[in-house]
Coordinates of all heavy atoms in Angstrom, one line a residue:
M136 N -2.8 29.4 134.9 CA -4.0 29.6 134.1 C -4.8 30.6 134.9 O -5.2 30.5 136.0 CB -4.7 28.3 134.0 CG -6.1 28.3 133.2 SD -6.9 26.8 133.0 CE -5.9 26.0 131.8
T137 N -5.4 31.5 134.1 CA -6.1 32.6 134.7 C -7.7 32.1 135.0 O -8.1 31.1 134.4 CB -6.3 33.9 133.9 OG1 -7.0 33.6 132.7 CG2 -4.9 34.4 133.4
V138 N -8.5 32.9 135.8 CA -9.8 32.5 136.0 C -10.7 32.4 134.7 O -11.5 31.7 134.5 CB -10.5 33.3 137.1 CG1 -9.8 33.1 138.4 CG2 -10.5 34.7 136.7
F139 N -10.3 33.4 133.8 CA -11.0 33.6 132.5 C -10.7 32.3 131.7 O -11.6 31.8 131.1 CB -10.5 34.9 131.9 CG -10.7 36.1 132.6 CD1 -9.7 36.7 133.4 CD2 -12.1 36.6 132.8 CE1 -9.9 37.8 134.1 CE2 -12.3 37.8 133.6 CZ -11.2 38.4 134.2
E140 N -9.5 31.9 131.7 CA -9.1 30.7 130.9 C -9.8 29.4 131.4 O -10.2 28.6 130.8 CB -7.6 30.5 130.8 CG -6.9 31.6 130.0 CD -5.4 31.6 130.2 OE1 -5.0 31.0 131.3 OE2 -4.7 32.1 129.4
Q141 N -9.9 29.4 132.8 CA -10.5 28.3 133.5 C -12.0 28.2 133.1 O -12.5 27.1 132.8 CB -10.4 28.4 134.9 CG -9.1 28.2 135.5 CD -9.0 28.4 137.1 OE1 -10.0 28.2 137.8 NE2 -7.9 28.8 137.6
V142 N -12.7 29.2 133.1 CA -14.1 29.2 132.7 C -14.2 28.8 131.2 O -15.1 28.1 130.9 CB -14.8 30.6 133.1 CG1 -16.2 30.8 132.4 CG2 -14.9 30.7 134.6
K143 N -13.5 29.5 130.4 CA -13.5 29.2 128.9 C -13.3 27.7 128.7 O -13.9 27.2 127.7 CB -12.7 30.1 128.2 CG -13.1 31.6 128.1 CD -12.1 32.4 127.3 CE -12.2 33.8 127.5 NZ -11.3 34.6 126.8
E144 N -12.4 27.1 129.3 CA -12.2 25.7 129.2 C -13.2 24.8 129.7 O -13.5 23.8 129.3 CB -10.8 25.4 129.9 CG -10.3 24.0 129.5 CD -8.8 23.8 130.3 OE1 -7.9 24.5 129.7 OE2 -8.8 23.0 131.2
A145 N -13.8 25.2 130.9 CA -14.8 24.4 131.6 C -16.2 24.3 131.0 O -16.9 23.3 131.0 CB -14.9 25.0 133.0
V146 N -16.6 25.3 130.2 CA -18.0 25.3 129.6 C -17.9 25.8 128.2 O -17.2 26.8 127.9 CB -18.9 26.2 130.5 CG1 -18.5 27.6 130.6 CG2 -20.4 26.0 130.1
D147 N -18.7 25.2 127.4 CA -18.7 25.5 125.9 C -19.8 26.5 125.6 O -20.8 26.7 126.4 CB -18.8 24.3 125.0 CG -20.1 23.6 125.2 OD1 -20.4 23.0 126.3 OD2 -20.9 23.7 124.2
M148 N -19.7 27.2 124.5 CA -20.6 28.2 124.1 C -22.0 27.7 124.0 O -23.0 28.4 124.4 CB -20.1 28.8 122.8 CG -20.9 30.1 122.4 SD -20.5 31.5 123.5 CE -22.2 31.9 123.9
R149 N -22.2 26.5 123.3 CA -23.6 26.0 123.1 C -24.3 25.8 124.4 O -25.5 26.1 124.6 CB -23.5 24.8 122.3 CG -24.9 24.2 122.0 CD -24.9 22.9 121.1 NE -26.2 22.8 120.6 CZ -26.7 22.9 119.4 NH1 -25.8 23.3 118.4 NH2 -27.9 22.5 119.1
T150 N -23.6 25.2 125.3 CA -24.1 25.0 126.7 C -24.7 26.3 127.4 O -25.8 26.3 127.9 CB -23.2 24.2 127.6 OG1 -22.8 23.1 127.0 CG2 -23.7 24.0 129.0
V151 N -23.7 27.3 127.3 CA -24.1 28.5 128.0 C -25.3 29.2 127.2 O -26.3 29.6 127.9 CB -22.9 29.5 127.9 CG1 -23.4 30.9 128.4 CG2 -21.8 29.0 128.9
A152 N -25.2 29.2 125.9 CA -26.3 29.8 125.0 C -27.7 29.2 125.3 O -28.7 29.8 125.5 CB -26.0 29.8 123.7
E153 N -27.6 27.8 125.3 CA -28.9 27.1 125.5 C -29.4 27.4 127.0 O -30.6 27.5 127.3 CB -28.8 25.6 125.3 CG -28.7 25.3 123.8 CD -28.4 23.8 123.5 OE1 -27.8 23.1 124.3 OE2 -28.8 23.4 122.4
G154 N -28.5 27.4 127.9 CA -28.8 27.6 129.3 C -29.4 29.0 129.5 O -30.3 29.1 130.4
Y155 N -29.0 29.9 128.7 CA -29.6 31.3 129.0 C -30.6 31.6 127.9 O -31.0 32.7 127.7 CB -28.5 32.3 128.8 CG -27.5 32.3 129.9 CD1 -26.1 32.7 129.8 CD2 -27.8 31.8 131.2 CE1 -25.2 32.6 130.8 CE2 -26.9 31.7 132.2 CZ -25.7 32.2 132.1 OH -24.7 32.1 133.1
G156 N -31.2 30.5 127.3 CA -32.5 30.7 126.6 C -32.5 30.7 125.1 O -33.6 30.7 124.5
L157 N -31.4 30.5 124.5 CA -31.4 30.4 123.0 C -31.8 29.1 122.5 O -31.3 28.0 123.1 CB -30.0 30.8 122.4 CG -29.5 32.2 122.8 CD1 -28.1 32.4 122.0 CD2 -30.5 33.3 122.4
N158 N -32.6 29.1 121.4 CA -33.0 27.8 120.8 C -32.0 27.5 119.6 O -32.1 28.4 118.6 CB -34.4 27.8 120.4 CG -35.4 27.9 121.5 OD1 -35.2 27.1 122.5 ND2 -36.4 28.8 121.6
I159 N -31.2 26.6 119.6 CA -30.2 26.4 118.6 C -30.5 25.2 117.8 O -30.8 24.1 118.3 CB -28.8 26.3 119.3 CG1 -28.5 27.5 120.2 CG2 -27.7 26.0 118.2 CD1 -27.4 27.2 121.1
D160 N -30.5 25.3 116.4 CA -30.9 24.2 115.5 C -29.6 23.4 115.4 O -28.6 23.6 115.9 CB -31.5 24.7 114.2 CG -30.4 25.4 113.3 OD1 -29.2 25.3 113.6 OD2 -30.9 26.1 112.4
R161 N -29.9 22.2 114.6 CA -28.8 21.3 114.5 C -27.5 21.9 113.8 O -26.4 21.4 114.1 CB -29.2 20.1 113.5 CG -30.3 19.3 114.3 CD -30.7 18.1 113.3 NE -31.1 18.6 112.0 CZ -31.4 17.9 111.0 NH1 -31.3 16.5 111.1 NH2 -31.9 18.3 109.9
S162 N -27.7 22.9 113.0 CA -26.5 23.5 112.3 C -25.9 24.5 113.2 O -24.8 25.1 112.7 CB -26.9 24.1 111.0 OG -27.8 25.2 111.2
G163 N -26.4 24.9 114.3 CA -25.7 25.7 115.3 C -26.2 27.2 115.1 O -25.7 28.1 115.6
M164 N -27.3 27.3 114.3 CA -27.9 28.7 114.1 C -28.9 28.9 115.1 O -29.7 28.0 115.5 CB -28.4 28.8 112.7 CG -27.4 28.7 111.6 SD -26.1 29.8 111.6 CE -27.0 31.3 111.0
C165 N -29.1 30.3 115.4 CA -30.2 30.7 116.3 C -30.5 32.2 116.1 O -29.7 32.8 115.4 CB -29.8 30.5 117.8 SG -28.4 31.4 118.3
L166 N -31.6 32.6 116.7 CA -31.9 34.0 116.5 C -30.9 34.8 117.5 O -30.7 34.4 118.6 CB -33.4 34.3 117.1 CG -34.4 33.7 116.3 CD1 -35.8 33.9 117.0 CD2 -34.5 34.3 115.0
C167 N -30.4 35.8 117.0 CA -29.5 36.7 117.7 C -30.3 37.4 118.8 O -31.2 38.0 118.7 CB -28.7 37.7 116.9 SG -27.6 38.8 117.8
P168 N -29.7 37.2 120.2 CA -30.3 37.8 121.3 C -30.1 39.3 121.4 O -30.7 40.0 122.2 CB -29.8 37.0 122.5 CG -28.4 36.6 122.0 CD -28.6 36.4 120.5
F169 N -29.2 39.9 120.5 CA -28.8 41.3 120.7 C -29.5 42.2 119.7 O -29.2 43.4 119.7 CB -27.4 41.3 120.6 CG -26.6 40.4 121.5 CD1 -25.9 39.4 121.1 CD2 -26.8 40.5 122.9 CE1 -25.2 38.5 121.9 CE2 -26.2 39.7 123.7 CZ -25.4 38.7 123.3
H170 N -30.3 41.6 118.8 CA -31.2 42.6 117.9 C -32.4 41.7 117.5 O -32.5 40.5 117.6 CB -30.4 43.0 116.7 CG -30.1 41.9 115.6 ND1 -29.0 41.1 115.7 CD2 -30.7 41.6 114.5 CE1 -28.9 40.3 114.7 NE2 -30.0 40.6 113.9
A171 N -33.4 42.4 117.0 CA -34.6 41.9 116.6 C -34.5 41.3 115.1 O -34.0 41.9 114.4 CB -35.8 42.9 116.6
E172 N -35.0 40.0 115.0 CA -35.0 39.3 113.8 C -36.0 38.2 113.7 O -36.4 37.7 114.8 CB -33.6 38.8 113.5 CG -33.0 37.8 114.4 CD -31.6 37.3 114.1 OE1 -31.0 37.8 113.2 OE2 -31.2 36.4 114.8
K173 N -36.3 37.8 112.5 CA -37.1 36.7 112.3 C -36.5 35.5 111.9 O -37.1 34.4 112.0 CB -38.3 37.2 111.3 CG -39.1 38.3 111.9 CD -40.2 38.6 110.9 CE -41.1 39.7 111.5 NZ -42.2 40.1 110.6
M174 N -35.5 35.5 111.2 CA -34.7 34.4 110.7 C -33.3 34.3 111.5 O -32.7 35.4 111.7 CB -34.3 34.6 109.2 CG -35.6 34.5 108.3 SD -36.6 33.0 108.4 CE -35.3 31.9 107.6
P175 N -32.9 33.1 111.8 CA -31.7 33.0 112.6 C -30.4 33.5 111.8 O -30.3 33.3 110.6 CB -31.4 31.5 112.7 CG -32.8 30.9 112.6 CD -33.5 31.8 111.6
S176 N -29.6 34.4 112.5 CA -28.4 34.9 111.9 C -27.2 34.7 112.7 O -26.1 35.1 112.3 CB -28.7 36.4 111.5 OG -28.8 37.2 112.7
A177 N -27.4 34.2 113.9 CA -26.3 33.9 114.8 C -25.8 32.5 114.8 O -26.7 31.6 114.8 CB -26.7 34.3 116.2
K178 N -24.5 32.3 114.7 CA -24.0 30.9 114.6 C -23.3 30.6 116.0 O -22.4 31.5 116.4 CB -22.9 30.8 113.5 CG -22.2 29.5 113.4 CD -23.0 28.4 112.8 CE -22.1 27.2 112.6 NZ -22.9 26.1 112.0
I179 N -23.6 29.5 116.5 CA -22.8 29.1 117.7 C -21.6 28.1 117.3 O -21.8 27.1 116.7 CB -23.8 28.4 118.7 CG1 -25.1 29.1 119.0 CG2 -23.0 27.9 119.9 CD1 -24.7 30.4 119.8
Y180 N -20.5 28.6 117.8 CA -19.3 27.7 117.5 C -19.0 27.3 118.9 O -19.4 27.7 120.0 CB -18.2 28.6 117.0 CG -18.5 29.1 115.5 CD1 -18.9 30.5 115.4 CD2 -18.3 28.3 114.4 CE1 -19.2 30.9 114.1 CE2 -18.5 28.8 113.1 CZ -19.0 30.0 113.0 OH -19.3 30.5 111.7
P181 N -18.0 26.3 119.0 CA -17.6 25.6 120.4 C -17.2 26.7 121.3 O -17.4 26.7 122.5 CB -16.5 24.7 120.0 CG -16.8 24.4 118.6 CD -17.3 25.5 117.9
H182 N -16.4 27.8 120.9 CA -15.9 28.7 121.8 C -16.4 30.1 121.7 O -16.0 31.0 122.5 CB -14.3 28.8 121.6 CG -13.7 27.4 122.0 ND1 -13.7 26.7 123.1 CD2 -13.1 26.6 121.0 CE1 -13.2 25.6 123.0 NE2 -12.8 25.4 121.8
N183 N -17.3 30.4 120.8 CA -17.9 31.7 120.6 C -19.2 31.7 119.9 O -19.6 30.7 119.4 CB -16.9 32.7 119.9 CG -16.7 32.4 118.5 OD1 -16.5 31.2 118.1 ND2 -16.8 33.3 117.7
I184 N -19.8 32.9 119.9 CA -21.0 33.2 119.0 C -20.6 34.2 118.0 O -19.9 35.2 118.4 CB -22.3 33.5 119.9 CG1 -23.5 33.7 119.1 CG2 -22.0 34.8 120.8 CD1 -24.8 34.0 119.9
Y185 N -21.2 34.2 116.8 CA -21.0 35.2 115.9 C -22.3 35.4 115.2 O -23.0 34.5 114.7 CB -20.0 34.9 114.8 CG -19.8 35.9 113.8 CD1 -19.1 37.1 114.1 CD2 -20.4 35.8 112.5 CE1 -19.1 38.1 113.1 CE2 -20.3 36.8 111.6 CZ -19.6 38.0 111.9 OH -19.5 39.0 111.0
C186 N -22.8 36.7 115.1 CA -24.0 37.1 114.4 C -23.6 37.7 113.0 O -22.9 38.7 113.0 CB -24.8 38.0 115.1 SG -26.4 38.5 114.3
F187 N -24.1 37.0 112.0 CA -23.9 37.6 110.6 C -24.7 38.8 110.3 O -24.5 39.6 109.4 CB -24.2 36.5 109.6 CG -23.2 35.3 109.7 CD1 -23.6 34.2 110.5 CD2 -21.9 35.4 109.1 CE1 -22.8 33.1 110.6 CE2 -21.2 34.3 109.2 CZ -21.5 33.2 110.0
G188 N -25.8 39.1 111.2 CA -26.7 40.2 111.0 C -26.1 41.5 111.6 O -25.9 42.6 110.9
C189 N -25.8 41.4 112.9 CA -25.2 42.6 113.5 C -23.7 42.7 113.8 O -23.2 43.6 114.2 CB -26.0 42.8 114.8 SG -25.6 41.6 116.1
G190 N -23.1 41.5 113.5 CA -21.7 41.5 113.7 C -21.1 41.2 115.0 O -19.8 41.2 115.3
V191 N -22.0 41.0 116.0 CA -21.5 40.7 117.3 C -20.8 39.3 117.4 O -21.2 38.4 116.8 CB -22.7 40.6 118.3 CG1 -22.3 40.0 119.7 CG2 -23.3 42.0 118.6
S192 N -19.6 39.4 118.1 CA -18.8 38.1 118.3 C -18.4 38.1 119.7 O -17.9 39.2 120.3 CB -17.6 38.2 117.4 OG -16.8 37.0 117.5
A193 N -18.6 37.0 120.5 CA -18.3 37.0 121.9 C -17.9 35.5 122.3 O -18.6 34.6 121.7 CB -19.4 37.6 122.7
D194 N -17.0 35.5 123.2 CA -16.8 34.1 123.9 C -17.9 34.0 125.0 O -18.7 34.8 125.1 CB -15.4 34.0 124.4 CG -15.0 35.1 125.4 OD1 -16.0 35.7 126.0 OD2 -13.8 35.4 125.7
V195 N -17.8 32.9 125.8 CA -18.8 32.7 126.8 C -18.8 33.8 127.9 O -19.9 34.2 128.3 CB -18.5 31.3 127.5 CG1 -18.8 30.2 126.6 CG2 -17.2 31.2 128.2
I196 N -17.7 34.5 128.2 CA -17.6 35.6 129.1 C -18.3 36.8 128.5 O -19.1 37.4 129.2 CB -16.2 35.8 129.7 CG1 -15.7 34.5 130.4 CG2 -16.2 37.0 130.5 CD1 -14.2 34.5 130.7
G197 N -18.0 37.2 127.3 CA -18.4 38.2 126.7 C -19.9 38.2 126.5 O -20.7 39.1 126.6
F198 N -20.4 37.0 126.0 CA -21.8 36.7 125.9 C -22.6 36.8 127.1 O -23.6 37.5 127.1 CB -22.0 35.2 125.4 CG -23.3 34.7 125.1 CD1 -24.1 35.1 124.0 CD2 -23.9 33.9 126.1 CE1 -25.4 34.7 123.9 CE2 -25.3 33.5 126.0 CZ -26.0 33.9 124.8
T199 N -22.0 36.4 128.2 CA -22.8 36.5 129.5 C -22.8 37.9 129.9 O -23.9 38.4 130.4 CB -22.0 35.7 130.6 OG1 -22.0 34.3 130.1 CG2 -22.7 35.8 131.9
Q200 N -21.7 38.7 129.7 CA -21.7 40.1 129.9 C -22.9 40.8 129.1 O -23.6 41.6 129.7 CB -20.4 40.7 129.6 CG -19.4 40.7 130.6 CD -18.1 41.4 130.2 OE1 -17.3 40.8 129.5 NE2 -18.0 42.7 130.6
K201 N -23.0 40.5 127.9 CA -23.9 41.2 127.0 C -25.4 40.7 127.3 O -26.2 41.6 127.3 CB -23.6 40.8 125.5 CG -22.5 41.5 124.9 CD -22.2 41.1 123.5 CE -21.0 41.5 122.8 NZ -20.3 42.6 123.2
M202 N -25.6 39.5 127.6 CA -26.9 39.0 127.9 C -27.4 39.6 129.1 O -28.7 39.9 129.3 CB -26.9 37.5 128.1 CG -26.8 36.8 126.8 SD -28.3 36.9 125.8 CE -29.5 35.9 126.7
F203 N -26.6 39.8 130.2 CA -27.1 40.3 131.5 C -26.6 41.7 131.8 O -26.7 42.1 133.0 CB -26.7 39.3 132.5 CG -27.3 38.0 132.4 CD1 -26.6 37.0 131.8 CD2 -28.6 37.7 132.7 CE1 -27.1 35.7 131.5 CE2 -29.2 36.4 132.5 CZ -28.4 35.4 132.0
T204 N -26.1 42.4 130.8 CA -25.6 43.8 131.0 C -24.7 43.9 132.2 O -24.9 44.6 133.2 CB -26.8 44.8 131.1 OG1 -27.8 44.4 130.2 CG2 -26.4 46.2 130.8
I205 N -23.7 43.1 132.2 CA -22.8 43.1 133.3 C -21.4 43.9 132.7 O -20.9 43.6 131.7 CB -22.2 41.6 133.6 CG1 -23.5 40.8 134.1 CG2 -21.2 41.6 134.6 CD1 -23.2 39.3 134.2
A206 N -21.1 44.8 133.6 CA -20.1 45.7 133.2 C -18.6 45.0 133.3 O -17.8 45.3 132.4 CB -20.1 47.0 134.0
E207 N -18.3 44.3 134.3 CA -17.0 43.8 134.4 C -16.9 42.3 134.1 O -17.8 41.5 134.6 CB -16.6 44.0 136.0 CG -16.5 45.4 136.4 CD -15.4 46.1 135.7 OE1 -14.3 45.6 135.4 OE2 -15.7 47.3 135.3
P208 N -15.9 41.9 133.4 CA -15.7 40.5 133.0 C -15.8 39.5 134.2 O -16.2 38.4 134.1 CB -14.4 40.5 132.2 CG -14.3 41.8 131.6 CD -14.9 42.7 132.7
I209 N -15.0 39.9 135.3 CA -15.0 39.1 136.4 C -16.4 38.7 137.1 O -16.6 37.7 137.5 CB -14.1 39.7 137.6 CG1 -13.7 38.6 138.6 CG2 -14.6 40.9 138.2 CD1 -12.9 37.4 138.0
E210 N -17.3 39.7 136.9 CA -18.7 39.4 137.4 C -19.3 38.5 136.6 O -20.1 37.6 137.0 CB -19.4 40.7 137.5 CG -19.0 41.8 138.4 CD -18.8 41.2 139.8 OE1 -19.7 40.6 140.3 OE2 -17.8 41.6 140.6
A211 N -19.0 38.4 135.2 CA -19.6 37.4 134.3 C -19.0 36.1 134.7 O -19.6 35.0 134.6 CB -19.3 37.8 132.9
V212 N -17.7 36.1 135.0 CA -17.1 34.8 135.4 C -17.7 34.2 136.6 O -18.0 33.0 136.7 CB -15.5 35.1 135.6 CG1 -14.9 33.8 136.3 CG2 -14.7 35.2 134.3
K213 N -17.9 35.1 137.6 CA -18.7 34.6 138.8 C -20.0 34.0 138.5 O -20.4 33.1 139.1 CB -18.8 35.8 139.8 CG -17.5 36.2 140.4 CD -17.6 37.5 141.3 CE -16.3 38.0 141.9 NZ -16.5 39.0 142.7
K214 N -20.9 34.7 137.7 CA -22.1 34.2 137.3 C -22.0 32.9 136.5 O -22.8 31.9 136.8 CB -22.8 35.2 136.3 CG -24.2 34.8 135.8 CD -25.1 35.7 135.4 CE -26.5 35.3 135.0 NZ -27.1 34.4 135.9
L215 N -21.1 32.8 135.6 CA -20.9 31.5 134.9 C -20.5 30.4 135.9 O -21.0 29.2 135.8 CB -19.9 31.6 133.9 CG -20.3 32.3 132.6 CD1 -19.1 32.8 131.8 CD2 -21.2 31.4 131.7
N216 N -19.6 30.6 136.8 CA -19.3 29.7 137.8 C -20.4 29.3 138.7 O -20.6 28.1 139.0 CB -18.1 30.2 138.7 CG -17.6 29.1 139.5 OD1 -17.1 28.0 139.1 ND2 -17.4 29.4 140.9
D217 N -21.3 30.3 139.0 CA -22.4 30.0 139.9 C -23.4 29.1 139.1 O -23.9 28.1 139.7 CB -23.1 31.2 140.4 CG -22.4 32.0 141.4 OD1 -21.3 31.4 142.0 OD2 -22.6 33.2 141.6
D218 N -23.7 29.4 137.8 CA -24.7 28.7 137.0 C -24.2 27.5 136.5 O -25.0 26.5 136.3 CB -25.0 29.6 135.8 CG -25.8 30.9 136.2 OD1 -26.2 30.9 137.4 OD2 -25.9 31.8 135.4
Y219 N -22.9 27.3 136.2 CA -22.4 26.0 135.6 C -21.3 25.3 136.4 O -20.7 24.4 135.9 CB -21.8 26.3 134.2 CG -23.0 26.8 133.3 CD1 -23.2 28.2 133.1 CD2 -23.9 25.9 132.7 CE1 -24.2 28.6 132.3 CE2 -24.9 26.4 131.9 CZ -25.1 27.7 131.8 OH -26.2 28.2 130.9
Q220 N -21.0 25.7 137.6 CA -20.0 25.1 138.4 C -18.7 24.8 137.6 O -18.2 23.7 137.5 CB -20.6 23.7 139.0 CG -21.6 24.0 140.0 CD -23.0 24.2 139.4 OE1 -23.3 23.7 138.4 NE2 -23.7 25.1 139.9
C221 N -18.2 25.8 137.1 CA -17.0 25.8 136.1 C -15.8 25.4 136.9 O -14.9 24.9 136.2 CB -16.8 27.2 135.5 SG -18.0 27.7 134.5
S222 N -15.8 25.4 138.1 CA -14.5 25.1 138.8 C -14.9 24.3 140.1 O -15.7 24.7 140.9 CB -13.8 26.4 139.2 OG -12.6 26.1 140.1
K223 N -14.2 23.2 140.2 CA -14.3 22.3 141.4 C -13.5 23.0 142.5 O -13.7 22.8 143.7 CB -13.8 20.9 141.1 CG -14.7 20.3 140.1 CD -14.1 18.9 139.8 CE -15.0 18.2 138.8 NZ -14.3 17.6 137.6
N224 N -12.6 23.8 142.1 CA -11.6 24.4 143.0 C -12.4 25.8 143.5 O -12.7 26.7 142.7 CB -10.4 24.9 142.2 CG -9.3 25.7 143.2 OD1 -9.7 26.0 144.3 ND2 -8.3 25.9 142.6
K225 N -12.6 25.9 144.8 CA -13.3 27.1 145.2 C -12.5 28.4 145.2 O -13.0 29.4 145.5 CB -13.8 26.8 146.8 CG -14.8 25.7 146.9 CD -16.1 26.2 146.1 CE -17.1 25.0 146.2 NZ -18.2 25.2 145.3
Q226 N -11.3 28.3 144.7 CA -10.5 29.4 144.8 C -10.5 30.1 143.3 O -9.6 30.9 143.0 CB -9.0 29.2 145.1 CG -8.9 28.6 146.5 CD -7.3 28.5 146.9 OE1 -6.4 28.9 146.3 NE2 -7.2 27.8 147.9
L227 N -11.5 29.8 142.6 CA -11.6 30.4 141.2 C -11.6 31.9 141.2 O -11.0 32.5 140.3 CB -13.0 29.9 140.6 CG -13.3 30.5 139.2 CD1 -12.3 29.9 138.2 CD2 -14.6 30.1 138.8
Y228 N -12.2 32.6 142.2 CA -12.3 34.0 142.2 C -11.0 34.6 142.8 O -10.9 35.8 142.8 CB -13.5 34.5 143.1 CG -14.9 34.0 142.8 CD1 -15.7 33.9 143.8 CD2 -15.2 33.5 141.5 CE1 -17.1 33.4 143.6 CE2 -16.4 33.0 141.3 CZ -17.4 33.0 142.3 OH -18.6 32.5 142.1
R229 N -10.1 34.0 143.4 CA -9.0 34.6 143.9 C -8.0 35.1 142.9 O -7.8 34.6 141.9 CB -8.3 33.6 144.8 CG -9.2 33.2 146.0 CD -8.3 32.7 147.1 NE -9.2 32.3 148.1 CZ -8.9 31.9 149.2 NH1 -7.6 31.9 149.6 NH2 -9.8 31.6 150.2
F230 N -7.4 36.3 143.3 CA -6.6 36.9 142.3 C -5.1 36.9 142.9 O -4.9 37.0 144.0 CB -7.0 38.4 142.1 CG -8.3 38.5 141.5 CD1 -9.4 38.7 142.4 CD2 -8.5 38.4 140.1 CE1 -10.7 38.8 141.8 CE2 -9.7 38.6 139.6 CZ -10.8 38.7 140.4

């Protein structure tokens, strides 16, 4: 299992989105953090986010990259691991 798969399995999209500041309603809708809007157009699914307004779709790693302008996916994995303790195994970053 790759480090990317480990992180995706360890933490769900809703947890990450709420942890990074999105207010999600009962139906899983929220304001898209990637464009200005007044009505929620982003839907949070268990493994990804999809915005019906701008078309952005991302898993937890891609979402973290976009939210924090992180260029490399591995850096987003490291951030997620630091923020959510995705791995009990300290060798998560090893390649």
Side-chain angles (χ1 to χ4, degrees):
M136 180 180 286
T137 69
V138 294
F139 302 103
E140 291 167 339
Q141 288 176 30
V142 168
K143 289 178 191 180
E144 187 177 295
V146 65
D147 67 289
M148 188 70 233
R149 185 177 188 111
T150 301
V151 172
E153 287 178 332
Y155 292 152
L157 298 186
N158 294 315
I159 304 166
D160 68 17
R161 290 184 304 174
S162 66
M164 298 297 291
C165 62
L166 296 175
C167 180
F169 307 117
H170 71 274
E172 63 182 1
K173 294 182 181 180
M174 297 295 294
S176 66
K178 174 78 172 175
I179 303 295
Y180 295 99
H182 302 289
N183 70 310
I184 182 173
Y185 178 75
C186 179
F187 295 97
C189 66
V191 167
S192 180
D194 60 18
V195 293
I196 297 169
F198 175 77
T199 303
Q200 280 185 268
K201 289 179 191 329
M202 284 292 291
F203 297 98
T204 319
I205 298 171
E207 297 297 323
I209 193 64
E210 297 303 319
V212 165
K213 290 176 183 177
K214 177 162 182 50
L215 285 162
N216 191 50
D217 290 343
D218 293 347
Y219 296 99
Q220 293 75 44
C221 296
S222 176
K223 294 177 183 130
N224 180 358
K225 293 297 179 192
Q226 296 188 17
L227 177 69
Y228 306 153
R229 295 206 180 184
F230 300 96

